Amino acid sequence: GPLSERPLMEVRLGELHTWISTCDFSPQGLLGAVQKAWNSYYAKYINVRRGGPAGISMLLAGYCLLSYSWNYQHFKRHRWRKYH
């Protein structure tokens, strides 16, 4: 199919720049991309007949890593001011 309709994993490295230029970076386009990614994740890992804890555990692990990365700079600055 057309390059703009291919998923990222099917795009060749040489076509990546062209594929990115066809993406919609407006707020509605970004929201649609996030919604599509969430629906894909949900269908693959959460909403399955014999689902295990993998989907939920990946979601929780991602949240923990994201939360730590947001707070890491705050901890680093706070410790620096306290001891120096």
Side-chain angles (χ1 to χ4, degrees):
L3 184 62
S4 62
E5 294 179 9
R6 287 192 217 162
L8 177 61
M9 296 305 291
E10 293 180 10
V11 176
R12 293 182 182 162
L13 192 57
E15 301 170 329
L16 187 61
H17 183 276
T18 308
W19 182 81
I20 289 174
S21 67
T22 63
C23 294
D24 182 12
F25 290 105
S26 69
Q28 286 181 332
L30 293 174
L31 183 62
V34 168
Q35 204 169 27
K36 185 177 177 183
W38 171 255
N39 288 339
S40 173
Y41 172 81
Y42 186 82
K44 187 172 182 178
Y45 295 107
I46 307 290
N47 193 21
V48 293
R49 286 185 182 223
R50 291 181 292 152
I56 300 294
S57 62
M58 282 194 308
L59 194 62
L60 290 174
Y63 172 75
C64 290
L65 289 173
L66 188 62
S67 177
Y68 179 78
S69 68
W70 281 338
N71 290 317
Y72 180 73
Q73 291 295 340
H74 172 71
F75 292 144
K76 191 175 178 182
R77 273 188 254 126
H78 182 68
R79 207 177 315 147
W80 179 260
R81 277 189 248 149
K82 187 176 180 180
Y83 296 117
H84 290 91

